[in-house]
Amino acid sequence: MTTPVCTSASDAATSARQTRPNATYPSFTSYVRARQPVLLRTARSLTANPSDAEDLLQTALTKTYVAWERIEDHRALDGYVRRALLNTRTSQWRKRKVDEFACDELPEPEPMPGHDDDPAERQALHDAMWCAIMRLPARQRAMVVLRYYEDLSEVQTAEVLGVSVGTVKSAVSRALGKLREDPELGLVR
């Protein structure tokens, strides 16, 4: 997503040109030529897109140009420009607009065939399942969570818990048997 360049800097530059129509700063030009690659790297570290980084640097340099006469210590220009980069990027981030699209119907997922897709029932099943899992012994609960909720293989689960693969298989099998027989889950099914 391309972020628009800060317009306040270009407005300030326009007003600065109007108050000082022929004001040019050769020292600014030489500074930009010498330091542009370094400053561009800094801008690229603040944005994800190289084009946005170039726009960000141009905006920061415009702000620097407008303030050139007020900057007393020209040895600290890199710090000044970096601060302008950061402030401009923060302003862009704060002003970022979330795109909203109007549509006739809400984009709800299609219900799966053979399943009642009521969100309240799904949440009730989810809550009942977690309650049943919490009633399992700690070791079986850990194996079930790693195996099915974290989607680890039996080998990975065994490595995480420091047990053999056979132990994982038998413990998960016993845990699933307990969950099938759990009376609370029978009411939800």
Side-chain angles (χ1 to χ4, degrees), residues 35-98:
R35 300 301 294 165
Q36 186 172 8
V38 173
L39 296 171
L40 186 57
R41 277 196 303 270
T42 303
R44 284 188 178 148
S45 70
L46 295 172
T47 62
N49 184 340
S51 298
D52 289 342
E54 291 172 2
D55 290 344
L56 179 64
L57 178 59
Q58 287 302 314
T59 303
L61 289 174
T62 302
K63 289 179 180 181
T64 305
Y65 179 80
V66 170
W68 193 254
E69 289 178 342
R70 294 187 316 239
I71 300 173
E72 295 174 11
D73 186 8
H74 283 239
R75 293 175 298 180
L77 282 173
D78 282 353
Y80 186 92
V81 176
R82 283 190 181 103
R83 176 50 65 183
L85 284 167
L86 187 60
N87 289 346
T88 303
R89 183 64 185 139
T90 302
S91 296
Q92 290 172 349
W93 176 76
R94 286 182 180 153
K95 291 177 185 176
R96 186 177 64 194
K97 182 181 165 217
V98 176

Side-chain angles (χ1 to χ4, degrees), residues 128-149:
M129 181 60 82
W130 270 112
C131 288
I133 289 173
M134 293 307 291
R135 286 191 292 273
L136 291 173
R139 188 172 174 168
Q140 288 180 357
R141 180 174 53 241
M143 290 183 190
V144 166
V145 168
L146 289 173
R147 231 359 231 120
Y148 296 104
Y149 283 91

Side-chain angles (χ1 to χ4, degrees), residues 94-110:
R94 286 182 180 153
K95 291 177 185 176
R96 186 177 64 194
K97 182 181 165 217
V98 176
D99 294 329
E100 293 181 15
F101 302 100
C103 56
D104 295 333
E105 297 179 23
L106 291 175
E108 297 293 332
E110 294 294 322

Side-chain angles (χ1 to χ4, degrees), residues 160-171:
V160 168
L161 297 175
V163 296
S164 69
V165 176
T167 303
V168 172
K169 288 180 180 181
S170 62

